[in-house]
């Protein structure tokens, strides 16, 4: 990632170069299995497992060079992630209970464990050895975990020209982003951040067929968008000469209620369709921003 900002000609102008190096090696496997209990395939069990882990720590280094007319300044950060384990597993069971009705249920597990995440921000010498900035938290590290356990149930059926599907998914999230650093030479500051919460996600899908070429559909789903794991890691880390990045271990997911109505009319190989879509995202003060520039910080302090 390299780009030039200004040509060096005096102390106010400089050539700007940012280089990001990322190195990691991991091992993983994916497997799936499916079994039907009858020749009609109306009774089916399926499983899926995806596993991955690092073979050595992930190394990340960003070096920002500002080349002035009379000197060169290099700054940035060095980060590491140790022994991450990722697991995504799902087991589902489907059974056709009548000619028009099917029931499906299952469970899903998503695990993400990183026992140690570290970062050091500072200045680099000519050999790219880093010296922490004055006042920089020393030996900061985060113990991160996010486990999501889910169970779901889906019922599909129809009568006459009307088809419908009812679904319900329950999720339990177990998460921690425990942060610590050396406050003094003989005292290590520990700031725990743990969250445990349950969510429910109903869904309804309906279709009414006036004929084989004339349909009306209406749907409702409740959805979740989880923050990326790095947004949950509360390390103070250099971003650019004008801002720092720091995650928030108490950052909560965002939720949305999605509504959709669709009309479709087809003839031969052609069709015309109309869709009306609406999404409602409730506002919550727990949806905190994870990225804060210097200007954002000053404004917030003034308001407080």
């Amino acid at each position: 990632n390299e780009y030039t900002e200004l040509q060096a000609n005096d102390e106010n102008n400089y050539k700007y170069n940012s280089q990001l190096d990322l190195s990691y090696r991991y091992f993983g496997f994916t497997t799936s299995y499916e079994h039907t209990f009858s020749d009609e395939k109306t009774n089916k069990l399926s499983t899926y497992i995806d596993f991955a882990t690092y073979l050595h720590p992930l190394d990340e280094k960003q070096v920002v060079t500002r080349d002035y007319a009379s000197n060169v300044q290099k700054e940035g950060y060095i980060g590491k992630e140790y022994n991450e384990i990722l697991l995504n597993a799902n087991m589902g069971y489907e059974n056709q209970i009548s000619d028009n009705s099917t029931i499906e249920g299952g469970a899903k597990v998503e695990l993400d464990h990183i026992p140690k995440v570290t970062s050091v921000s500072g200045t680099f010498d000519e050999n790219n050895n880093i010296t922490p900035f004055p006042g920089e938290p020393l030996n900061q590290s985060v113990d991160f975990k996010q486990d999501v356990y889910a169970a779901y149930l889906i019922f599909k059926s129809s009568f006459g020209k009307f088809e419908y599907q009812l679904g319900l998914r329950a999720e339990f999230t177990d998460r921690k982003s425990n942060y610590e650093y050396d406050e003094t030479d003989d005292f290590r500051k520990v700031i725990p951040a743990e969250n445990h919460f349950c969510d429910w996600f109903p869904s309804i899908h309906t279709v009414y067929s006036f004929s084989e070429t004339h349909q009306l559909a209406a749907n409702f789903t409740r959805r979740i968008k989880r923050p990326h794991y790095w947004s949950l890691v509360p390390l103070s880390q250099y971003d650019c000469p004008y801002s720092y990045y720091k995650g928030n271990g108490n950052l909560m997911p965002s939720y949305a209620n999605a509504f959709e109505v669709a009309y479709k009319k087809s003839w031969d190989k052609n069709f015309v369709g109309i869709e009306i879509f609406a999404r409602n995202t409730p506002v919550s003060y727990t949806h905190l921003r994870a990225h804060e520039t210097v200007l954002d910080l000053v404004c917030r302090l003034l308001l407080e």
Side-chain angles (χ1 to χ4, degrees), residues 153-169:
L153 186 66
I154 299 173
F155 178 73
K156 305 175 187 178
S157 188
S158 65
F159 56 90
K161 298 180 178 181
F162 183 70
E163 301 176 30
Y164 65 94
Q165 175 181 299
L166 306 178
L168 180 63
R169 188 175 85 256

Side-chain angles (χ1 to χ4, degrees), residues 239-296:
D239 187 39
C240 76
Y242 310 104
S243 69
Y244 258 65
Y245 183 93
K246 187 171 185 179
N248 186 341
N250 294 311
L251 191 67
M252 298 299 290
S254 63
Y255 303 88
N257 299 316
F259 305 85
E260 181 182 12
V261 177
Y263 171 81
K264 181 180 179 181
K265 172 64 176 176
S266 59
W267 63 95
D268 297 329
K269 296 182 179 180
N270 305 308
F271 74 90
V272 60
I274 300 175
E275 289 188 18
I276 300 175
F277 182 86
R279 177 176 295 175
N280 170 252
T281 302
V283 177
S284 172
Y285 290 106
T286 58
H287 298 165
L288 304 174
R289 291 185 305 169
H291 189 276
E292 186 172 61
T293 65
V294 174
L295 181 59
D296 293 331

Side-chain angles (χ1 to χ4, degrees), residues 33 80 138 173 202 220 229 266 272:
Y33 172 77
K80 285 182 176 288
L138 298 178
T173 301
F220 165 77
Y229 90 95
S266 59
V272 60

Side-chain angles (χ1 to χ4, degrees), residues 21-144:
D21 296 320
L22 189 65
S23 173
Y24 64 94
R25 183 180 299 170
Y26 73 95
F27 163 80
F29 68 85
T30 300
T31 182
S32 62
Y33 172 77
E34 185 174 292
H35 177 72
T36 55
F37 297 91
S38 63
D39 294 336
E40 294 79 12
K41 298 184 179 181
T42 58
N43 195 349
K44 182 173 65 176
L45 175 70
S46 59
T47 61
Y48 172 84
I49 298 175
D50 184 14
F51 173 83
T53 185
Y54 285 161
L55 293 178
H56 66 73
L58 180 147
D59 294 313
E60 184 178 12
K61 177 190 287 187
Q62 182 184 14
V63 180
V64 171
T65 303
R66 287 188 284 178
D67 189 357
Y68 293 89
S70 59
N71 67 88
V72 175
Q73 297 179 5
K74 299 170 72 174
E75 55 195 18
Y77 72 88
I78 295 176
K80 285 182 176 288
E81 296 178 8
Y82 296 83
N83 303 324
E84 181 174 18
I85 295 176
L86 295 165
L87 175 66
N88 186 345
N90 181 56
M91 175 177 289
Y93 174 76
E94 182 179 346
N95 187 14
Q96 185 174 342
I97 56 180
S98 70
D99 291 340
N100 299 326
S101 302
T102 301
I103 191 168
E104 180 181 350
K108 186 175 183 179
V109 177
E110 293 183 5
L111 309 181
D112 186 2
H113 292 191
I114 313 178
K116 187 177 181 181
V117 186
T118 65
S119 182
V120 179
S121 300
T123 58
F124 291 94
D125 60 20
E126 61 276 6
N127 297 317
N128 279 346
N129 298 314
I130 193 169
T131 300
F133 290 126
E136 177 76 11
L138 298 178
N139 298 320
Q140 57 177 345
S141 67
V142 172
D143 179 8
F144 175 79

